Amino acid sequence: MDSNTLILQYQTIRAHTHSICQSLATEDYVPQPISDVSPPKWHLAHTSWFFEEFILKPHYPQYKMFHEKYGFLFNSYYQTIGEYTNRAERGFLTRPTVAEVYQYRHYVDEHMLTLLNKLELTTELAKLIELGLHHEQQHQELLITDIKYILGHNPLFPSLELALTKNDPTADQEYIAIASGNYSIGFKEDGFCFDNELAQHTVHLAAYEISSTLVSNAEYITFIEEGGYNRVELWHDEAWYFIKQHNITAPLYWHKINNIWHVYSFSGLQPIKLTDAVCHVSYYEATAFAQWREQRLATEFEWEVAADKLTWGARWEWTASAYLPYPGYTKASGAIGEYNGKFMVSQMVLRGSSIATSPHHQRKSYRNFFYPKARWQFTGIRLVKC
Amino acid sequence: MDSNTLILQYQTIRAHTHSICQSLATEDYVPQPISDVSPPKWHLAHTSWFFEEFILKPHYPQYKMFHEKYGFLFNSYYQTIGEYTNRAERGFLTRPTVAEVYQYRHYVDEHMLTLLNKLELTTELAKLIELGLHHEQQHQELLITDIKYILGHNPLFPSLELALTKNDPTADQEYIAIASGNYSIGFKEDGFCFDNELAQHTVHLAAYEISSTLVSNAEYITFIEEGGYNRVELWHDEAWYFIKQHNITAPLYWHKINNIWHVYSFSGLQPIKLTDAVCHVSYYEATAFAQWREQRLATEFEWEVAADKLTWGARWEWTASAYLPYPGYTKASGAIGEYNGKFMVSQMVLRGSSIATSPHHQRKSYRNFFYPKARWQFTGIRLVKC
Amino acid sequence: MDSNTLILQYQTIRAHTHSICQSLATEDYVPQPISDVSPPKWHLAHTSWFFEEFILKPHYPQYKMFHEKYGFLFNSYYQTIGEYTNRAERGFLTRPTVAEVYQYRHYVDEHMLTLLNKLELTTELAKLIELGLHHEQQHQELLITDIKYILGHNPLFPSLELALTKNDPTADQEYIAIASGNYSIGFKEDGFCFDNELAQHTVHLAAYEISSTLVSNAEYITFIEEGGYNRVELWHDEAWYFIKQHNITAPLYWHKINNIWHVYSFSGLQPIKLTDAVCHVSYYEATAFAQWREQRLATEFEWEVAADKLTWGARWEWTASAYLPYPGYTKASGAIGEYNGKFMVSQMVLRGSSIATSPHHQRKSYRNFFYPKARWQFTGIRLVKC
Amino acid sequence: MDSNTLILQYQTIRAHTHSICQSLATEDYVPQPISDVSPPKWHLAHTSWFFEEFILKPHYPQYKMFHEKYGFLFNSYYQTIGEYTNRAERGFLTRPTVAEVYQYRHYVDEHMLTLLNKLELTTELAKLIELGLHHEQQHQELLITDIKYILGHNPLFPSLELALTKNDPTADQEYIAIASGNYSIGFKEDGFCFDNELAQHTVHLAAYEISSTLVSNAEYITFIEEGGYNRVELWHDEAWYFIKQHNITAPLYWHKINNIWHVYSFSGLQPIKLTDAVCHVSYYEATAFAQWREQRLATEFEWEVAADKLTWGARWEWTASAYLPYPGYTKASGAIGEYNGKFMVSQMVLRGSSIATSPHHQRKSYRNFFYPKARWQFTGIRLVKC
């Protein structure tokens, strides 16, 4: 990638982060209501810290850090770099203020652009910057999901000007048949991908039929009304304990008001649109629903093989695959090596992308991953015939 | 109290709350780092809600509430009034914003002043307003202690312009001897007091000698250096578990840097002033220190009887008395009855006042109370010879 | 006390411990279902350890310990003596077996009797042995309450031959008036008492009227049926959270079966006897009940002054007094000093004794103490007119 | 399988359970020190309940249950059958006694043998009985691991006569090369298997080289000594938190005494045998070790394909595969359907068998599964070259 393209990308992507936050009140940037949900302020700082730590510190001549303690405050999890703030206590840090965090972003941007304009970029450095931009795009989606969580759990159910550009596609459901055989899996195009998509390899698949559409709210309401959340035989053992312990009886953000299902979105609390794809369900709920329908989720390989024939982009789709390394996967050395590999246990793969995913940040080989109980992402369900 | 005096008091006290907060960043108003520490924003709203709920709603003709959900959001614990926000989750409420809370305060003030100017105040109503003002003054001290906790736990140790007008008094220590005999306890003057100070009653005291001064930082450092935190025989059983579980080895806000004890104050992290009274210790620490010195804390009755001969006002002083009702104590009926009585279990009485106590909000009969583990108040130690 | 009397007492009291356990199955000796409830096996060993540690080791010539690790296993809380088993994990120790523990008791008894027969007892040593016997008697009551907890929480509700010799007395209720005045408090007789009863001192009491009888099951059922457990204004703040969190709606061991209240006793699950004194209530419940009756609990001083006019012995009676040191109280030095003093925080005093208290182990100056939430002791309610 | 063979198997397997327990003290049968570890008494009863619930109740004419409440007490997790004892509280049930549990076993055996002798067995019923026997064999291994946990955490480190018949094999290490290709996976022989092994299917494997031997204690000690437990880059993110939170610095049962590694076995605490295969490691530890060696674990498919060329039987071997349904897997209907399927989330597959596995209870297609943190099973490590 040439310098000019990289500069343009850098500017566009960094600006998009700001546009996501433009309607936030200062207060909205602060809290961390659950461990998974980071303060928006933290996302803004952490993505800048990534450029400061991995690009500016090693490559910008005599780089002077914006603030010596920000590394400690905004390192997310790169344990090889040293001590960092207790992950669950990010929401108590009122300082630096939002304004100071924006100054930090500005400072990093200025230096990055100076660097990008002056430097003969090595391929390695260009790749690292590209990684930083994809990292920022990942946090853009997290910004949206975390803001939604913060506002959607406020009893005032505030609305916010935050336009999600993509809409739920509408299509008739059909089942697409894929033949048995050996298929090649993994990133094949040119351009950027994460290390967890690499190492093309062959898998053998039995024949299967995959739905062209996602499960709708209407279908999910039927599941609820037919007692889905009280039929123990539909649930995994740990799932059953989880939903009973947390009194879960519907997707996140759903509220039954005067016998009508409502859902919180950035427009506030609204009656549910029945034709939309169901959203904010856990893997537990996705598999219980599939079990109830006597179907199943696709494996990530089945999903990837069929991807060209599917419409996708509305919801991250839970797959039946655990998040594990591909054959031949190796971690990068150093802190960058912590990017993906260390999460490859106890989580499930999601494929596709969602209405909150940043533009140009989707690939059919993309492997997203969350714990099976996670509900605050824009997650949905696609079925495969057993 | 006549109307004009009450109006003046109302204006002065409400304005003082704002002056405490004047240097805060918007972000500082939001978090609740531990259950005890409420968001400053919440204090501002809750004290206004008190006037709205108990004065304006019942007494202002056709009063229109500022917002129908604020009762739910800012009721602290008056359970008889209905559902309220989970106490531990106040810090996640980014809305209403700080600006909206100030609008709420302004709205309540306008209506209160209209009411105060127009109304023939009944004695009962005047007393209720006076209670609201003393309630606000209690929250003024909590505002200061809570702001200190929020900033004092930030790794940046930010300083804040928040002047505490009172200083630590300096005096030579002597022991004041009080003779054995029957003494009368409880509020005796004119003017306001809380219900827990009422019901004058007689107690019999054996002779005792009480220190004229509080324990200093210098003395407390000696306690630390002589192994006080590791000598199990000095501590209550539950205290020992508590300090070991939480790795407590010094008062709150103390940090040993390059072998010098520093302490966080609103001026930032500073070397400790040895002659100041030790501050931010729990009842557990206060009694362990007394045990180490082979002395003891005063009971709240000994304290009150000696009060006129003591200088006080620097620290809330832990007493050896549990917080229990005085003989003849009865709770007011209705929600106001929840003010004090329901806390009369498992807590200890503190007497005096502190450098963070609001002006005119101290009485020698005043009974403050906290759980024995509490450290975030401006608490200190006064000794009595065994 | 002369040697022969002490020998007789030693034999009688130690034998009584065995008689309490005589109908237990081996399995009943093992578990610790909650932290408060120790394994019966542990009580048997711990009371023997007391004699081994404080009498035999220092005073028996060339004493050879029964097992070098038993000190570690059966020290309860004497932290000055060294490391000891995590208090909450006593129930996982299947070894030593019950038989081995009885061998340990036998070994200690043999040596103690040798010592008692040979030795010219110093007064100090006699007092220490007497303390050990009173310690054993305290654990006899705990054995009964702990066995009851273990069996009473088994879905089979097994009965056990364990005769409690005392019965609930029956008497007509009257209120006994005590005049205002100064009264002397504390142990005054000859003979044994614990250090926490010492230091006679004067208290001033206002006039009061105290019930001659305890609150009955019939009265308590009325409290339940009139919604006592759902009327927030009757409860302390921490009590309300506690009963709601633990779904407490009746005293411990009560079960409503086919609309009839049953209670577990050593005879199994039986319909409640309405005239019996209510039992197994917490301080929280006792005060809520008193509040509902618009009366109150007695202070421990009011109780002691009236004691000669009361029938007592059926239930430990919650008082309105926190467990705090008497004026002039000092702890014994060394490990024995841990006996009482270190528990003087956060607990409430109970006076009287119960149907499970060992014979000759009751005094009107006796100060029992438990946390306000405790329900597994034989605790009841006596009212005083406000 | 004909009736006589089944009768013989029934008698042999049921008797083997008793032989495992023959040296236990009564007390050893009672506790549940952690949720994973059930009381031996419970295993004895639960395996009998299985036959009573699924065979005798539906198939024995006019069967009279041994005790009406045992279903409630000894149902493990078959939620479709109804309410059952809180899983974490099994250790508090002192009744039924051990003797009563053995009577229960005897009663069930008598009726089972009557049934087996009289009945024309349908194939379906024979299969259900066979399932019950394999279920019992699974619990035989759990009995051993749970007894080891109970005794191995007792500070007395008691030894027990419990002979594990199999020994660690000794062999020189070599790497066995397997060629790339499509392979058939799943149970192929005649005879019994669990439903999770069924549904033969094809997988494609890249070429790999698998170690003929397991990782030894000597190798693992090197890992420890070279700082393996403190090198964050070797560990999964959740693993790192886990080992730091629980202070894990060696396999379970390891103790460093006078600088020599000891390990608890049924012979008591003994110096470690360096050539033995390392045992009682979690999946976290297994992957960190592999990472340190720059190798990896085998997938369960790689393991199964190579199985005929491996010696195995000493340790359950953690694989790199999550426990997920095979293509085409369907659960049996009814409670038996809960046997395997509902655990297919968040756990890892182990292959092989261990020195505690019952004779004849191993197959190369056998899929064992545990959470990645589990350490109380006889688990070890086999490496594959990356």
Side-chain angles (χ1 to χ4, degrees), chain A residues 238-341:
Chain A
E238 66 173 44
W240 182 252
Y241 283 100
F242 185 79
I243 64 166
K244 290 308 161 190
Q245 189 186 348
H246 293 87
N247 277 315
I248 291 173
T249 59
L252 188 63
Y253 300 121
W254 285 36
H255 300 265
K256 204 166 195 172
I257 301 171
N258 297 327
N259 229 26
I260 295 166
W261 282 111
H262 287 64
V263 65
Y264 175 78
S265 75
F266 290 120
S267 315
L269 208 54
Q270 308 282 352
I272 270 180
K273 201 172 153 197
L274 292 174
T275 53
D276 274 2
V278 69
C279 196
H280 296 297
V281 291
S282 64
Y283 174 78
Y284 296 148
E285 288 163 306
T287 49
F289 179 89
Q291 188 86 3
W292 171 74
R293 285 282 296 271
E294 299 183 351
Q295 300 200 12
R296 62 175 178 86
L297 305 182
T299 65
E300 63 168 321
F301 309 117
E302 290 171 336
W303 193 97
E304 187 171 325
V305 166
D308 290 337
K309 298 174 182 161
L310 307 174
T311 317
W312 43 284
R315 303 286 178 268
W316 285 104
E317 305 175 22
W318 288 107
T319 74
S321 298
Y323 183 49
L324 294 168
Y326 280 176
Y329 171 78
T330 45
K331 296 201 297 189
S333 65
I336 289 295
E338 296 190 40
Y339 204 96
N340 275 308

Side-chain angles (χ1 to χ4, degrees), chain C residues 40-326:
Chain C
K41 186 160 74 96
W42 186 89
H43 286 296
L44 295 182
H46 166 70
T47 47
S48 303
W49 167 85
F50 189 100
F51 289 109
E52 188 174 61
E53 176 69 27
F54 294 115
I55 311 293
L56 296 174
K57 274 174 66 179
H59 299 289
Y60 191 103
Q62 275 109 40
Y63 179 71
K64 186 174 172 309
M65 287 173 70
F66 181 73
H67 193 295
E68 56 170 14
K69 285 205 178 169
Y70 281 18
F72 171 73
L73 291 174
F74 300 121
N75 176 359
S76 61
Y77 55 79
Y78 298 86
Q79 304 240 16
T80 39
I81 291 173
E83 216 186 357
Y84 67 110
T85 308
N86 186 333
R87 195 188 159 155
E89 299 186 352
R90 294 172 181 165
F92 307 147
L93 299 176
T94 63
R95 312 295 181 92
T97 63
V98 173
E100 287 164 338
V101 166
Y102 275 108
Q103 286 160 20
Y104 177 41
R105 288 184 69 85
H106 185 66
Y107 180 87
V108 167
D109 285 350
E110 273 192 329
H111 286 78
M112 280 297 296
L113 290 169
T114 305
L115 188 79
L116 282 165
N117 278 305
K118 284 195 186 154
L119 200 70
E120 284 301 299
L121 283 179
T122 61
T123 307
E124 192 193 9
L125 189 56
K127 277 189 175 307
L128 210 50
I129 294 169
E130 206 177 11
L131 178 64
L133 292 174
H134 283 272
H135 175 253
E136 179 118 5
Q137 287 174 297
Q138 290 183 305
H139 279 277
Q140 286 169 356
E141 179 154 4
L142 291 173
L143 262 171
I144 295 170
T145 58
D146 294 1
I147 293 167
K148 183 168 181 178
Y149 192 97
I150 291 165
L151 298 181
H153 284 78
N154 188 308
L156 303 175
F157 295 116
S159 62
L160 189 81
E161 280 189 51
L162 194 165
L164 301 177
T165 48
K166 286 183 278 181
N167 290 313
D168 276 26
T170 51
D172 291 336
Q173 188 189 23
E174 53 177 333
Y175 280 87
I176 298 156
I178 308 287
S180 169
N182 279 12
Y183 291 93
S184 172
I185 294 296
F187 183 70
K188 298 178 187 68
E189 285 103 90
D190 290 332
F192 176 86
C193 77
F194 287 114
D195 61 0
N196 61 2
E197 305 164 51
L198 286 173
Q200 278 184 42
H201 63 286
T202 301
V203 300
H204 179 83
L205 299 180
Y208 62 102
E209 294 179 54
I210 188 167
S211 171
S212 62
T213 56
L214 297 175
V215 169
S216 70
N217 285 330
E219 291 175 284
Y220 203 86
I221 287 173
T222 308
F223 169 70
I224 294 174
E225 289 177 351
E226 296 195 358
Y229 283 90
N230 290 312
R231 289 176 53 187
V232 64
E233 74 276 13
L234 301 175
W235 297 82
H236 285 112
D237 188 59
E238 68 173 42
W240 182 254
Y241 283 101
F242 185 79
I243 64 167
K244 292 306 162 189
Q245 189 187 347
H246 294 88
N247 276 317
I248 291 174
T249 58
L252 189 64
Y253 300 122
W254 286 35
H255 299 265
K256 203 166 196 173
I257 301 171
N258 297 327
N259 228 25
I260 295 166
W261 281 111
H262 287 64
V263 65
Y264 175 78
S265 75
F266 290 119
S267 316
L269 207 54
Q270 308 282 351
I272 271 180
K273 201 173 152 196
L274 291 174
T275 54
D276 274 2
V278 70
C279 196
H280 295 299
V281 291
S282 64
Y283 174 79
Y284 297 147
E285 287 164 306
T287 50
F289 179 88
Q291 188 85 2
W292 172 73
R293 283 283 294 272
E294 297 183 352
Q295 300 198 14
R296 62 176 178 84
L297 306 181
T299 65
E300 62 168 322
F301 309 117
E302 289 171 336
W303 193 95
E304 187 171 326
V305 166
D308 290 338
K309 300 174 180 161
L310 307 174
T311 317
W312 45 281
R315 303 285 178 268
W316 285 105
E317 305 175 23
W318 287 109
T319 73
S321 298
Y323 183 49
L324 294 168
Y326 280 176

Side-chain angles (χ1 to χ4, degrees), chain D residues 150-211:
Chain D
I150 291 166
L151 298 181
H153 284 78
N154 189 310
L156 304 174
F157 296 116
S159 62
L160 190 81
E161 281 190 48
L162 196 165
L164 301 176
T165 48
K166 286 182 277 182
N167 292 312
D168 276 28
T170 50
D172 291 336
Q173 188 188 23
E174 54 176 332
Y175 281 86
I176 298 156
I178 308 286
S180 170
N182 280 12
Y183 291 93
S184 171
I185 294 296
F187 183 70
K188 298 178 185 67
E189 285 102 273
D190 290 333
F192 176 86
C193 76
F194 287 114
D195 61 1
N196 61 3
E197 304 164 52
L198 286 173
Q200 278 183 41
H201 63 285
T202 302
V203 300
H204 180 83
L205 300 181
Y208 61 102
E209 293 178 55
I210 188 167
S211 170

